Amino acid sequence: MSENTAVSKADTRDDAALQPPVDVIEDAAGITLYADLAGVPKDKLHLHVEGDALTIEGEIDLEMPEGMENSHAEVGLARYRRVFTLSKELDASKVGAEFKHGVLTLTIPKAEHAQPRKVQVKVL
């Protein structure tokens, strides 16, 4: 799996997005990806797998109470977006997702052809 970081010149401020911090752990069964998406409600979280591209998108709920105004804001963008290129060793059709306390957990198993297997030896 690799991160696709290509940005076209056509990107505008409206298309700009925060890149959520991500941890990726690989084991013999596949990979587990943890993405920190603080402030994103479940209904505004979108995952897409198209070909070998995995896209994570989410919109942050930054509503201010009526009559109040920000005096200081460190989060200037209200969107998260990150795109990864999945290895051919992973089975993109079996992506599992769980969203809890602002952390998205994705599990992507290795494809059957990439799984370790035992070879039986015949004794002649």
Side-chain angles (χ1 to χ4, degrees), residues 34-51:
Y34 300 96
D36 186 7
L37 298 164
V40 176
K42 184 181 179 225
D43 63 326
K44 293 189 178 182
L45 174 63
H46 306 285
L47 301 173
H48 306 279
V49 177
E50 187 173 328

Side-chain angles (χ1 to χ4, degrees), residues 32-88:
T32 303
L33 183 145
Y34 300 96
D36 186 7
L37 298 164
V40 176
K42 184 181 179 225
D43 63 326
K44 293 189 178 182
L45 174 63
H46 306 285
L47 301 173
H48 306 279
V49 177
E50 187 173 328
D52 63 351
L54 167 69
T55 304
I56 301 170
E57 293 180 304
E59 292 182 38
I60 304 169
D61 240 345
L62 294 175
E63 292 184 24
M64 288 294 298
E66 191 175 321
M68 297 191 82
E69 187 177 302
N70 279 340
S71 59
H72 174 77
E74 292 187 3
V75 178
L77 299 172
R79 287 185 50 212
Y80 284 112
R81 185 170 197 277
R82 195 127 179 208
V83 179
F84 296 91
T85 302
L86 300 176
S87 158
K88 299 292 183 206

